[in-house]
Amino acid sequence: MPERARILQVGTLGDETDATLQAQYDVLRLWETPGGLDALAERTAGITAVVTSVRHGCRADLIARLPDLRAICSWGVGYETIDVAAAHARGIAVSNTPEVLDDCVADLAWALLLAAARRTSVADRYVKTGQWRSIGAFPLSTRVSGKRMGILGLGRIGEAIARRGSGFGMEIGYHNRRARAGVPYRYVESLVELARWSDFLVVACEGGPATRHLVSAEVLDALGPRGIVVNIARGSVIDEAAMVRALAEGRLGGAGLDVLEHEPAVPPELLGMDQVALTPHVGSATHETRREMAQLVLDNLASFLAGRGLLTLVAA
Ligand code: 8YV
Protein backbone atom coordinates (compact mmCIF):
# COMPACT_ATOMS: atom_id res chain seq x y z
CA MET A 1 0.00 0.00 0.00
CA PRO A 2 1.44 3.43 -0.93
CA GLU A 3 2.27 5.72 1.98
CA ARG A 4 -0.57 8.05 2.90
CA ALA A 5 0.02 11.79 2.39
CA ARG A 6 0.79 13.71 5.56
CA ILE A 7 -1.40 16.76 6.18
CA LEU A 8 -1.86 19.16 9.07
CA GLN A 9 -5.42 20.12 10.01
CA VAL A 10 -5.68 23.34 12.02
CA GLY A 11 -9.21 22.94 13.43
CA THR A 12 -12.29 20.79 13.06
CA LEU A 13 -14.40 21.02 9.91
CA GLY A 14 -17.18 18.93 11.46
CA ASP A 15 -17.23 15.25 12.37
CA GLU A 16 -18.00 13.97 8.89
CA THR A 17 -15.25 15.90 7.07
CA ASP A 18 -12.74 15.23 9.86
CA ALA A 19 -13.46 11.50 9.55
CA THR A 20 -13.14 11.57 5.75
CA LEU A 21 -9.77 13.30 6.02
CA GLN A 22 -8.55 10.82 8.60
CA ALA A 23 -9.65 7.84 6.51
CA GLN A 24 -7.70 9.06 3.48
CA TYR A 25 -4.63 10.79 4.87
CA ASP A 26 -2.13 10.75 7.71
CA VAL A 27 -3.64 13.74 9.57
CA LEU A 28 -1.87 15.71 12.30
CA ARG A 29 -4.68 17.46 14.21
CA LEU A 30 -3.28 20.72 15.55
CA TRP A 31 -6.24 21.47 17.81
CA GLU A 32 -5.83 18.12 19.56
CA THR A 33 -2.05 18.43 19.90
CA PRO A 34 -1.14 19.25 23.51
CA GLY A 35 1.13 22.30 23.43
CA GLY A 36 -0.13 23.25 19.94
CA LEU A 37 2.28 24.77 17.49
CA ASP A 38 5.20 24.79 19.94
CA ALA A 39 4.92 21.02 20.42
CA LEU A 40 5.15 20.20 16.72
CA ALA A 41 8.96 20.32 16.57
CA GLU A 42 10.24 17.57 14.22
CA ARG A 43 6.80 16.13 13.52
CA THR A 44 6.31 18.56 10.65
CA ALA A 45 8.67 16.99 8.11
CA GLY A 46 6.85 15.71 5.04
CA ILE A 47 3.68 17.72 5.62
CA THR A 48 2.89 19.20 2.22
CA ALA A 49 -0.66 20.46 2.82
CA VAL A 50 -2.57 22.31 5.53
CA VAL A 51 -6.34 22.02 5.84
CA THR A 52 -8.00 24.91 7.64
CA SER A 53 -10.94 27.32 7.52
CA VAL A 54 -11.49 31.06 7.59
CA ARG A 55 -12.43 30.59 11.26
CA HIS A 56 -9.25 28.74 12.22
CA GLY A 57 -6.93 30.62 9.85
CA CYS A 58 -3.29 29.92 9.04
CA ARG A 59 -0.80 32.41 10.37
CA ALA A 60 2.72 33.13 9.20
CA ASP A 61 4.21 31.41 12.30
CA LEU A 62 2.49 28.14 11.39
CA ILE A 63 3.59 28.41 7.76
CA ALA A 64 7.15 29.02 8.97
CA ARG A 65 7.12 25.73 10.98
CA LEU A 66 6.26 23.63 7.92
CA PRO A 67 9.36 23.36 5.70
CA ASP A 68 7.74 21.08 3.11
CA LEU A 69 4.42 22.93 2.86
CA ARG A 70 3.14 23.47 -0.70
CA ALA A 71 -0.63 24.04 -0.33
CA ILE A 72 -3.18 25.50 2.10
CA CYS A 73 -6.76 24.31 1.52
CA SER A 74 -9.23 26.50 3.38
CA TRP A 75 -12.94 26.22 4.04
CA GLY A 76 -14.88 29.48 3.47
CA VAL A 77 -14.78 32.11 0.77
CA GLY A 78 -13.10 34.69 3.02
CA TYR A 79 -9.39 34.26 3.77
CA GLU A 80 -8.49 37.30 5.85
CA THR A 81 -7.27 35.01 8.65
CA ILE A 82 -4.78 33.27 6.35
CA ASP A 83 -1.42 34.91 5.75
CA VAL A 84 -1.65 34.63 1.96
CA ALA A 85 1.34 36.94 1.44
CA ALA A 86 3.58 34.73 3.64
CA ALA A 87 2.36 31.63 1.77
CA HIS A 88 2.86 33.09 -1.70
CA ALA A 89 6.32 34.38 -0.75
CA ARG A 90 7.33 30.72 -0.35
CA GLY A 91 5.44 29.53 -3.43
CA ILE A 92 2.71 27.90 -1.32
CA ALA A 93 -0.67 27.87 -3.11
CA VAL A 94 -3.87 28.73 -1.22
CA SER A 95 -7.43 27.67 -2.03
CA ASN A 96 -10.79 28.84 -0.63
CA THR A 97 -14.39 27.75 -1.33
CA PRO A 98 -15.96 30.37 -3.62
CA GLU A 99 -19.19 30.14 -5.66
CA VAL A 100 -20.85 27.24 -3.82
CA LEU A 101 -22.08 29.66 -1.12
CA ASP A 102 -23.08 32.64 -3.29
CA ASP A 103 -26.79 31.83 -3.43
CA CYS A 104 -27.23 31.10 0.27
CA VAL A 105 -25.37 34.24 1.33
CA ALA A 106 -27.43 36.31 -1.14
CA ASP A 107 -30.64 34.73 0.16
CA LEU A 108 -29.68 35.69 3.71
CA ALA A 109 -28.92 39.28 2.67
CA TRP A 110 -32.47 39.47 1.38
CA ALA A 111 -33.90 37.84 4.51
CA LEU A 112 -32.15 40.50 6.63
CA LEU A 113 -33.21 43.33 4.35
CA LEU A 114 -36.83 42.18 4.51
CA ALA A 115 -36.61 41.60 8.26
CA ALA A 116 -35.20 45.09 8.91
CA ALA A 117 -37.58 46.89 6.50
CA ARG A 118 -40.77 44.89 7.10
CA ARG A 119 -39.93 44.12 10.75
CA THR A 120 -40.76 40.45 10.28
CA SER A 121 -38.93 39.22 13.40
CA VAL A 122 -40.55 41.92 15.53
CA ALA A 123 -43.93 41.04 14.03
CA ASP A 124 -43.31 37.36 14.76
CA ARG A 125 -42.69 38.18 18.44
CA TYR A 126 -45.77 40.40 18.39
CA VAL A 127 -47.98 37.51 17.37
CA LYS A 128 -46.31 34.91 19.59
CA THR A 129 -46.49 37.05 22.74
CA GLY A 130 -50.19 37.77 22.26
CA GLN A 131 -49.80 41.47 21.46
CA TRP A 132 -51.85 41.17 18.28
CA ARG A 133 -54.82 40.37 20.50
CA SER A 134 -53.95 42.66 23.43
CA ILE A 135 -52.72 45.75 21.54
CA GLY A 136 -54.14 45.33 18.04
CA ALA A 137 -52.70 46.29 14.65
CA PHE A 138 -48.90 46.19 14.18
CA PRO A 139 -47.12 49.49 13.35
CA LEU A 140 -46.48 50.30 9.68
CA SER A 141 -43.12 49.40 8.18
CA THR A 142 -41.04 50.28 5.07
CA ARG A 143 -41.74 49.20 1.46
CA VAL A 144 -38.99 47.16 -0.19
CA SER A 145 -40.08 46.65 -3.81
CA GLY A 146 -39.23 49.31 -6.37
CA LYS A 147 -36.59 50.99 -4.19
CA ARG A 148 -32.88 51.62 -4.79
CA MET A 149 -30.27 49.17 -3.61
CA GLY A 150 -26.60 50.08 -3.38
CA ILE A 151 -24.09 47.25 -3.18
CA LEU A 152 -20.62 47.74 -1.71
CA GLY A 153 -18.53 45.05 -3.40
CA LEU A 154 -20.03 43.71 -6.63
CA GLY A 155 -18.26 40.36 -6.69
CA ARG A 156 -19.97 37.00 -7.14
CA ILE A 157 -22.04 37.34 -3.96
CA GLY A 158 -22.85 41.00 -4.71
CA GLU A 159 -24.09 39.99 -8.15
CA ALA A 160 -26.27 37.22 -6.71
CA ILE A 161 -27.82 39.83 -4.38
CA ALA A 162 -28.30 42.24 -7.30
CA ARG A 163 -29.97 39.57 -9.48
CA ARG A 164 -32.56 38.99 -6.76
CA GLY A 165 -33.18 42.75 -6.71
CA SER A 166 -34.59 42.67 -10.22
CA GLY A 167 -37.37 40.39 -8.96
CA PHE A 168 -38.25 43.17 -6.51
CA GLY A 169 -38.26 45.78 -9.30
CA MET A 170 -35.26 47.55 -7.81
CA GLU A 171 -32.75 49.93 -9.30
CA ILE A 172 -29.26 48.68 -8.46
CA GLY A 173 -26.07 50.70 -7.99
CA TYR A 174 -22.66 49.56 -6.76
CA HIS A 175 -19.30 50.71 -5.56
CA ASN A 176 -16.06 48.82 -6.19
CA ARG A 177 -12.50 50.10 -6.46
CA ARG A 178 -13.10 50.10 -10.21
CA ALA A 179 -16.21 49.91 -12.44
CA ARG A 180 -16.86 46.43 -13.82
CA ALA A 181 -17.27 45.95 -17.55
CA GLY A 182 -20.42 44.21 -18.77
CA VAL A 183 -22.62 44.58 -15.68
CA PRO A 184 -25.99 46.28 -16.11
CA TYR A 185 -25.82 48.22 -12.82
CA ARG A 186 -24.99 51.85 -12.10
CA TYR A 187 -21.38 52.35 -10.93
CA VAL A 188 -20.91 55.05 -8.31
CA GLU A 189 -17.33 56.13 -7.80
CA SER A 190 -17.81 57.44 -4.27
CA LEU A 191 -19.23 55.25 -1.50
CA VAL A 192 -20.74 58.31 0.20
CA GLU A 193 -22.56 59.16 -3.03
CA LEU A 194 -23.77 55.56 -3.40
CA ALA A 195 -25.11 55.68 0.17
CA ARG A 196 -26.88 59.00 -0.53
CA TRP A 197 -28.49 57.50 -3.65
CA SER A 198 -29.52 54.22 -1.92
CA ASP A 199 -32.55 53.25 0.15
CA PHE A 200 -30.72 50.07 1.15
CA LEU A 201 -26.95 49.69 1.29
CA VAL A 202 -25.73 46.09 1.23
CA VAL A 203 -22.16 45.30 2.27
CA ALA A 204 -20.76 42.39 0.24
CA CYS A 205 -17.04 43.17 -0.09
CA GLU A 206 -14.16 41.21 1.40
CA GLY A 207 -12.89 41.75 4.93
CA GLY A 208 -9.37 42.50 6.15
CA PRO A 209 -7.38 45.71 6.63
CA ALA A 210 -8.09 47.10 3.13
CA THR A 211 -11.84 47.43 3.78
CA ARG A 212 -11.80 48.18 7.54
CA HIS A 213 -14.41 50.83 8.47
CA LEU A 214 -15.14 51.69 4.81
CA VAL A 215 -18.72 52.20 5.97
CA SER A 216 -17.89 55.20 8.14
CA ALA A 217 -20.04 57.67 10.10
CA GLU A 218 -20.11 59.83 6.96
CA VAL A 219 -21.38 56.97 4.79
CA LEU A 220 -24.07 56.09 7.35
CA ASP A 221 -25.19 59.72 7.57
CA ALA A 222 -25.46 59.79 3.78
CA LEU A 223 -27.68 56.68 3.90
CA GLY A 224 -29.80 58.62 6.34
CA PRO A 225 -32.74 58.27 8.72
CA ARG A 226 -34.82 56.25 6.26
CA GLY A 227 -31.93 54.14 4.96
CA ILE A 228 -31.14 50.58 5.97
CA VAL A 229 -27.68 48.99 5.97
CA VAL A 230 -27.32 45.22 5.49
CA ASN A 231 -24.05 43.38 6.18
CA ILE A 232 -23.38 39.78 5.17
CA ALA A 233 -19.65 40.34 4.63
CA ARG A 234 -17.47 41.09 7.65
CA GLY A 235 -18.23 43.16 10.74
CA SER A 236 -14.93 45.01 10.30
CA VAL A 237 -16.21 46.77 7.15
CA ILE A 238 -18.65 48.93 9.16
CA ASP A 239 -17.53 51.33 11.90
CA GLU A 240 -19.76 49.57 14.43
CA ALA A 241 -19.59 52.21 17.16
CA ALA A 242 -20.59 54.89 14.62
CA MET A 243 -23.43 52.66 13.35
CA VAL A 244 -24.78 52.06 16.88
CA ARG A 245 -24.73 55.83 17.57
CA ALA A 246 -26.45 56.62 14.25
CA LEU A 247 -29.17 54.03 14.93
CA ALA A 248 -29.69 55.23 18.52
CA GLU A 249 -29.96 58.87 17.40
CA GLY A 250 -32.28 58.07 14.49
CA ARG A 251 -29.74 59.27 11.89
CA LEU A 252 -29.82 55.78 10.35
CA GLY A 253 -33.14 54.04 9.70
CA GLY A 254 -32.23 50.42 10.35
CA ALA A 255 -29.80 47.56 9.96
CA GLY A 256 -29.79 43.87 9.04
CA LEU A 257 -26.59 42.28 10.29
CA ASP A 258 -25.25 38.74 9.93
CA VAL A 259 -21.77 39.79 11.00
CA LEU A 260 -20.39 41.99 13.77
CA GLU A 261 -17.03 43.55 14.49
CA HIS A 262 -16.17 41.44 17.57
CA GLU A 263 -18.16 38.21 17.12
CA PRO A 264 -19.83 36.76 19.04
CA ALA A 265 -20.01 39.97 21.12
CA VAL A 266 -23.08 42.07 20.34
CA PRO A 267 -23.21 45.77 21.24
CA PRO A 268 -25.89 45.75 23.98
CA GLU A 269 -27.69 48.76 22.46
CA LEU A 270 -28.58 46.67 19.37
CA LEU A 271 -30.46 44.10 21.45
CA GLY A 272 -33.28 46.51 22.24
CA MET A 273 -33.65 47.98 18.75
CA ASP A 274 -36.66 46.90 16.70
CA GLN A 275 -35.14 48.58 13.63
CA VAL A 276 -32.26 46.08 13.74
CA ALA A 277 -32.45 42.44 12.57
CA LEU A 278 -29.62 40.15 13.65
CA THR A 279 -28.40 36.68 12.67
CA PRO A 280 -25.33 34.87 14.09
CA HIS A 281 -22.99 34.72 11.02
CA VAL A 282 -24.98 32.09 9.16
CA GLY A 283 -24.72 33.28 5.55
CA SER A 284 -23.50 29.93 4.26
CA ALA A 285 -25.02 27.82 7.03
CA THR A 286 -27.41 25.52 5.17
CA HIS A 287 -27.01 21.73 4.98
CA GLU A 288 -26.62 21.88 1.20
CA THR A 289 -24.05 24.67 1.03
CA ARG A 290 -21.97 23.48 3.97
CA ARG A 291 -21.80 20.02 2.33
CA GLU A 292 -20.57 21.60 -0.91
CA MET A 293 -18.02 23.77 0.91
CA ALA A 294 -16.58 20.71 2.69
CA GLN A 295 -16.50 18.75 -0.57
CA LEU A 296 -14.66 21.59 -2.29
CA VAL A 297 -11.97 21.51 0.43
CA LEU A 298 -11.59 17.75 -0.10
CA ASP A 299 -11.52 18.16 -3.90
CA ASN A 300 -8.86 20.88 -3.71
CA LEU A 301 -6.71 18.70 -1.45
CA ALA A 302 -7.11 15.59 -3.62
CA SER A 303 -6.30 17.54 -6.78
CA PHE A 304 -3.18 19.04 -5.20
CA LEU A 305 -1.95 15.67 -3.88
CA ALA A 306 -2.55 14.08 -7.29
CA GLY A 307 -0.21 16.68 -8.80
CA ARG A 308 -2.94 18.57 -10.62
CA GLY A 309 -2.80 21.72 -8.47
CA LEU A 310 -5.51 23.45 -6.46
CA LEU A 311 -8.89 23.99 -8.14
CA THR A 312 -10.06 27.25 -6.59
CA LEU A 313 -6.90 29.28 -6.08
CA VAL A 314 -6.74 32.49 -4.09
CA ALA A 315 -5.01 34.94 -6.45
CA ALA A 316 -1.68 36.53 -5.50
C1 8YV B 1 -19.08 31.14 7.24
C2 8YV B 1 -17.90 32.85 5.70
O1 8YV B 1 -20.45 31.18 7.52
O2 8YV B 1 -17.12 31.68 3.82
C3 8YV B 1 -16.95 32.63 4.56
O3 8YV B 1 -16.02 33.44 4.42
O4 8YV B 1 -17.86 33.83 6.35
C4 8YV B 1 -18.98 31.85 5.94
O5 8YV B 1 -19.07 30.90 4.97
C5 8YV B 1 -18.34 31.65 8.40
O6 8YV B 1 -16.98 31.55 8.24
C6 8YV B 1 -18.80 31.00 9.68
O7 8YV B 1 -18.02 31.38 10.73
Side-chain angles (χ1 to χ4, degrees):
M1 198 173 132
E3 217 178 287
R4 294 193 307 168
R6 294 201 65 210
I7 67 167
L8 181 137
Q9 188 180 352
V10 180
T12 176
L13 295 184
D15 292 347
E16 215 174 299
T17 310
D18 293 352
T20 306
L21 285 167
Q22 213 156 23
Q24 294 177 3
Y25 309 107
D26 177 4
V27 184
L28 178 57
R29 292 181 161 187
L30 185 59
W31 78 103
E32 287 178 353
T33 306
L37 199 53
D38 294 330
L40 291 182
E42 334 56 71
R43 297 166 67 199
T44 59
I47 291 177
T48 56
V50 158
V51 170
T52 187
S53 74
V54 58
R55 278 185 220 164
H56 304 304
C58 187
R59 297 194 322 231
D61 54 350
L62 175 56
I63 294 171
R65 304 265 179 126
L66 301 171
D68 300 320
L69 188 63
R70 287 287 157 264
I72 300 170
C73 303
S74 182
W75 175 102
V77 67
Y79 47 81
E80 70 279 4
T81 52
I82 295 168
D83 199 325
V84 176
H88 285 168
R90 265 186 47 203
I92 298 163
V94 181
S95 66
N96 61 344
T97 58
E99 291 182 45
V100 290
L101 44 63
D102 295 350
D103 283 329
C104 277
V105 177
D107 291 349
L108 191 80
W110 275 91
L112 285 166
L113 197 165
L114 288 162
R118 299 301 309 271
R119 306 270 162 107
T120 48
S121 5
V122 185
D124 174 80
R125 279 201 305 279
Y126 197 78
V127 175
K128 287 178 180 167
T129 56
Q131 294 181 82
W132 190 10
R133 185 175 289 283
S134 64
I135 300 178
F138 187 71
L140 301 184
S141 62
T142 300
R143 179 189 292 189
V144 171
S145 288
K147 296 273 185 79
R148 290 173 168 178
M149 173 185 273
I151 298 177
L152 168 57
L154 193 76
R156 275 182 296 251
I157 293 173
E159 277 197 86
I161 294 167
R163 274 196 303 278
R164 285 154 175 74
S166 62
F168 285 78
M170 281 196 169
E171 250 185 285
I172 310 281
Y174 74 99
H175 174 78
N176 277 11
R177 267 168 298 194
R178 278 173 294 282
R180 283 189 47 193
V183 296
Y185 312 116
R186 164 197 298 254
Y187 176 66
V188 184
E189 211 175 314
S190 138
L191 178 56
V192 173
E193 285 315 312
L194 179 70
R196 211 183 309 287
W197 175 85
S198 303
D199 296 300
F200 308 115
L201 180 68
V202 182
V203 180
C205 60
E206 62 183 49
T211 58
R212 185 170 182 275
H213 288 190
L214 265 189
V215 179
S216 59
E218 192 192 0
V219 170
L220 295 167
D221 279 337
L223 187 57
R226 292 148 77 91
I228 290 175
V229 67
V230 172
N231 192 1
I232 46 74
R234 288 292 182 265
S236 58
V237 184
I238 299 182
D239 180 341
E240 195 165 277
M243 178 185 66
V244 170
R245 272 197 306 276
L247 285 163
E249 292 165 12
R251 287 182 286 110
L252 176 64
L257 309 169
D258 184 46
V259 288
L260 292 169
E261 216 172 334
H262 308 289
E263 293 169 11
V266 186
E269 297 92 329
L270 295 184
L271 299 175
M273 290 182 181
D274 281 354
Q275 70 275 40
V276 175
L278 299 169
T279 48
H281 201 151
V282 290
S284 67
T286 63
H287 295 294
E288 296 87 341
T289 289
R290 285 291 170 84
R291 222 178 358 254
E292 289 179 36
M293 289 166 72
Q295 190 56 50
L296 193 47
V297 173
L298 297 172
D299 292 348
N300 266 295
L301 181 63
S303 176
F304 162 74
L305 291 172
R308 292 191 296 268
L310 296 175
L311 304 169
T312 48
L313 272 179
V314 169

Short mmCIF file of all heavy atoms in Angstrom, two decimals, residues 204-235:
data_model
loop_
_atom_site.label_atom_id
_atom_site.label_comp_id
_atom_site.label_asym_id
_atom_site.label_seq_id
_atom_site.Cartn_x
_atom_site.Cartn_y
_atom_site.Cartn_z
N ALA A 204 -21.08 43.72 0.76
CA ALA A 204 -20.76 42.39 0.24
C ALA A 204 -19.30 42.29 -0.20
O ALA A 204 -18.95 41.43 -1.00
CB ALA A 204 -21.69 42.04 -0.93
N CYS A 205 -18.46 43.18 0.32
CA CYS A 205 -17.04 43.17 -0.09
C CYS A 205 -16.24 42.25 0.83
O CYS A 205 -16.76 41.75 1.83
CB CYS A 205 -16.48 44.58 -0.04
SG CYS A 205 -16.57 45.32 1.59
N GLU A 206 -14.96 42.08 0.52
CA GLU A 206 -14.16 41.21 1.40
C GLU A 206 -13.75 41.95 2.67
O GLU A 206 -13.83 43.18 2.74
CB GLU A 206 -12.95 40.65 0.65
CG GLU A 206 -11.99 41.68 0.16
CD GLU A 206 -10.86 41.01 -0.64
OE1 GLU A 206 -11.15 40.18 -1.54
OE2 GLU A 206 -9.71 41.31 -0.35
N GLY A 207 -13.34 41.16 3.67
CA GLY A 207 -12.89 41.75 4.93
C GLY A 207 -11.40 42.04 4.89
O GLY A 207 -10.80 42.10 3.82
N GLY A 208 -10.81 42.24 6.08
CA GLY A 208 -9.37 42.50 6.15
C GLY A 208 -9.07 43.99 6.22
O GLY A 208 -9.97 44.82 6.13
N PRO A 209 -7.78 44.31 6.39
CA PRO A 209 -7.38 45.71 6.63
C PRO A 209 -7.80 46.66 5.50
O PRO A 209 -8.11 47.82 5.76
CB PRO A 209 -5.86 45.65 6.75
CG PRO A 209 -5.48 44.21 6.74
CD PRO A 209 -6.66 43.38 6.44
N ALA A 210 -7.82 46.20 4.26
CA ALA A 210 -8.09 47.10 3.13
C ALA A 210 -9.52 47.66 3.17
O ALA A 210 -9.78 48.73 2.61
CB ALA A 210 -7.85 46.37 1.81
N THR A 211 -10.45 46.96 3.79
CA THR A 211 -11.84 47.43 3.78
C THR A 211 -12.32 47.84 5.18
O THR A 211 -13.49 48.14 5.37
CB THR A 211 -12.79 46.32 3.25
OG1 THR A 211 -12.64 45.15 4.08
CG2 THR A 211 -12.50 45.97 1.81
N ARG A 212 -11.40 47.88 6.15
CA ARG A 212 -11.80 48.18 7.54
C ARG A 212 -12.46 49.56 7.64
O ARG A 212 -11.92 50.55 7.16
CB ARG A 212 -10.57 48.11 8.46
CG ARG A 212 -10.93 48.30 9.89
CD ARG A 212 -9.80 47.98 10.85
NE ARG A 212 -10.29 48.16 12.21
CZ ARG A 212 -10.31 49.35 12.82
NH1 ARG A 212 -9.83 50.42 12.23
NH2 ARG A 212 -10.81 49.44 14.04
N HIS A 213 -13.65 49.59 8.22
CA HIS A 213 -14.41 50.83 8.47
C HIS A 213 -14.67 51.66 7.20
O HIS A 213 -14.82 52.87 7.28
CB HIS A 213 -13.73 51.69 9.54
CG HIS A 213 -13.86 51.09 10.91
ND1 HIS A 213 -13.52 51.74 12.05
CD2 HIS A 213 -14.31 49.89 11.32
CE1 HIS A 213 -13.75 50.99 13.11
NE2 HIS A 213 -14.23 49.83 12.69
N LEU A 214 -14.75 50.98 6.05
CA LEU A 214 -15.14 51.69 4.81
C LEU A 214 -16.50 52.34 5.00
O LEU A 214 -16.74 53.43 4.52
CB LEU A 214 -15.26 50.68 3.65
CG LEU A 214 -14.09 50.45 2.72
CD1 LEU A 214 -14.53 49.58 1.55
CD2 LEU A 214 -13.53 51.77 2.22
N VAL A 215 -17.40 51.62 5.68
CA VAL A 215 -18.72 52.20 5.97
C VAL A 215 -18.56 53.01 7.25
O VAL A 215 -18.70 52.52 8.37
CB VAL A 215 -19.80 51.11 6.08
CG1 VAL A 215 -21.16 51.72 6.40
CG2 VAL A 215 -19.88 50.31 4.77
N SER A 216 -18.24 54.27 7.05
CA SER A 216 -17.89 55.20 8.14
C SER A 216 -19.13 55.96 8.61
O SER A 216 -20.21 55.82 8.02
CB SER A 216 -16.88 56.20 7.60
OG SER A 216 -17.48 56.89 6.50
N ALA A 217 -18.94 56.81 9.62
CA ALA A 217 -20.04 57.67 10.10
C ALA A 217 -20.58 58.50 8.94
O ALA A 217 -21.80 58.67 8.80
CB ALA A 217 -19.53 58.55 11.23
N GLU A 218 -19.68 58.98 8.08
CA GLU A 218 -20.11 59.83 6.96
C GLU A 218 -20.99 59.05 5.98
O GLU A 218 -22.01 59.55 5.50
CB GLU A 218 -18.84 60.36 6.25
CG GLU A 218 -19.15 61.45 5.26
CD GLU A 218 -17.95 61.79 4.35
OE1 GLU A 218 -16.88 61.15 4.51
OE2 GLU A 218 -18.09 62.65 3.50
N VAL A 219 -20.60 57.81 5.71
CA VAL A 219 -21.38 56.97 4.79
C VAL A 219 -22.76 56.69 5.39
O VAL A 219 -23.79 56.77 4.71
CB VAL A 219 -20.64 55.64 4.50
CG1 VAL A 219 -21.51 54.66 3.74
CG2 VAL A 219 -19.34 55.91 3.73
N LEU A 220 -22.79 56.40 6.69
CA LEU A 220 -24.07 56.09 7.35
C LEU A 220 -24.97 57.32 7.38
O LEU A 220 -26.19 57.21 7.17
CB LEU A 220 -23.80 55.56 8.76
CG LEU A 220 -23.05 54.22 8.80
CD1 LEU A 220 -22.54 53.91 10.20
CD2 LEU A 220 -23.92 53.08 8.28
N ASP A 221 -24.39 58.50 7.60
CA ASP A 221 -25.19 59.72 7.57
C ASP A 221 -25.76 59.96 6.18
O ASP A 221 -26.87 60.45 6.03
CB ASP A 221 -24.37 60.93 8.05
CG ASP A 221 -24.30 61.00 9.57
OD1 ASP A 221 -25.21 60.42 10.23
OD2 ASP A 221 -23.35 61.59 10.10
N ALA A 222 -24.98 59.62 5.15
CA ALA A 222 -25.46 59.79 3.78
C ALA A 222 -26.61 58.82 3.48
O ALA A 222 -27.53 59.15 2.74
CB ALA A 222 -24.32 59.56 2.79
N LEU A 223 -26.57 57.65 4.07
CA LEU A 223 -27.68 56.68 3.90
C LEU A 223 -28.94 57.23 4.57
O LEU A 223 -30.05 57.11 4.03
CB LEU A 223 -27.25 55.33 4.48
CG LEU A 223 -28.13 54.13 4.28
CD1 LEU A 223 -28.40 53.86 2.80
CD2 LEU A 223 -27.49 52.89 4.92
N GLY A 224 -28.76 57.79 5.74
CA GLY A 224 -29.80 58.62 6.34
C GLY A 224 -30.86 57.93 7.18
O GLY A 224 -30.89 56.70 7.30
N PRO A 225 -31.76 58.74 7.74
CA PRO A 225 -32.74 58.27 8.72
C PRO A 225 -33.77 57.29 8.16
O PRO A 225 -34.45 56.60 8.92
CB PRO A 225 -33.43 59.55 9.20
CG PRO A 225 -33.02 60.63 8.28
CD PRO A 225 -31.78 60.21 7.58
N ARG A 226 -33.90 57.24 6.82
CA ARG A 226 -34.82 56.25 6.26
C ARG A 226 -34.07 55.11 5.59
O ARG A 226 -34.66 54.17 5.06
CB ARG A 226 -35.75 56.92 5.24
CG ARG A 226 -36.72 57.88 5.92
CD ARG A 226 -37.04 59.05 4.98
NE ARG A 226 -37.98 58.64 3.96
CZ ARG A 226 -39.30 58.74 4.10
NH1 ARG A 226 -39.81 59.23 5.20
NH2 ARG A 226 -40.10 58.36 3.14
N GLY A 227 -32.75 55.17 5.61
CA GLY A 227 -31.93 54.14 4.96
C GLY A 227 -31.69 52.95 5.86
O GLY A 227 -31.73 53.04 7.09
N ILE A 228 -31.43 51.82 5.22
CA ILE A 228 -31.14 50.58 5.97
C ILE A 228 -29.83 50.00 5.45
O ILE A 228 -29.63 49.89 4.23
CB ILE A 228 -32.29 49.57 5.80
CG1 ILE A 228 -33.53 50.08 6.55
CG2 ILE A 228 -31.89 48.17 6.28
CD1 ILE A 228 -34.77 49.22 6.36
N VAL A 229 -28.93 49.64 6.37
CA VAL A 229 -27.68 48.99 5.97
C VAL A 229 -27.79 47.50 6.27
O VAL A 229 -28.35 47.09 7.30
CB VAL A 229 -26.46 49.64 6.70
CG1 VAL A 229 -26.46 49.39 8.19
CG2 VAL A 229 -25.14 49.15 6.09
N VAL A 230 -27.31 46.68 5.32
CA VAL A 230 -27.32 45.22 5.49
C VAL A 230 -25.87 44.75 5.36
O VAL A 230 -25.16 45.17 4.45
CB VAL A 230 -28.21 44.55 4.41
CG1 VAL A 230 -28.06 43.03 4.45
CG2 VAL A 230 -29.66 44.95 4.60
N ASN A 231 -25.43 43.88 6.26
CA ASN A 231 -24.05 43.38 6.18
C ASN A 231 -24.01 41.86 6.28
O ASN A 231 -24.36 41.28 7.31
CB ASN A 231 -23.19 44.01 7.30
CG ASN A 231 -21.70 43.76 7.10
OD1 ASN A 231 -21.30 43.14 6.12
ND2 ASN A 231 -20.89 44.25 8.02
N ILE A 232 -23.59 41.24 5.17
CA ILE A 232 -23.38 39.78 5.17
C ILE A 232 -21.92 39.47 4.92
O ILE A 232 -21.57 38.32 4.63
CB ILE A 232 -24.27 39.05 4.13
CG1 ILE A 232 -24.24 39.75 2.78
CG2 ILE A 232 -25.71 38.93 4.62
CD1 ILE A 232 -23.03 39.62 1.96
N ALA A 233 -21.06 40.51 5.00
CA ALA A 233 -19.65 40.34 4.63
C ALA A 233 -18.78 40.10 5.86
O ALA A 233 -18.61 38.95 6.31
CB ALA A 233 -19.19 41.57 3.85
N ARG A 234 -18.25 41.17 6.42
CA ARG A 234 -17.47 41.09 7.65
C ARG A 234 -17.83 42.30 8.51
O ARG A 234 -17.97 43.42 7.99
CB ARG A 234 -15.97 41.13 7.34
CG ARG A 234 -15.44 39.86 6.71
CD ARG A 234 -15.46 38.68 7.67
NE ARG A 234 -14.92 37.46 7.09
CZ ARG A 234 -15.65 36.50 6.50
NH1 ARG A 234 -16.97 36.60 6.42
NH2 ARG A 234 -15.06 35.43 6.01
N GLY A 235 -17.90 42.08 9.83
CA GLY A 235 -18.23 43.16 10.74
C GLY A 235 -17.24 44.31 10.65
O GLY A 235 -17.60 45.47 10.84
#
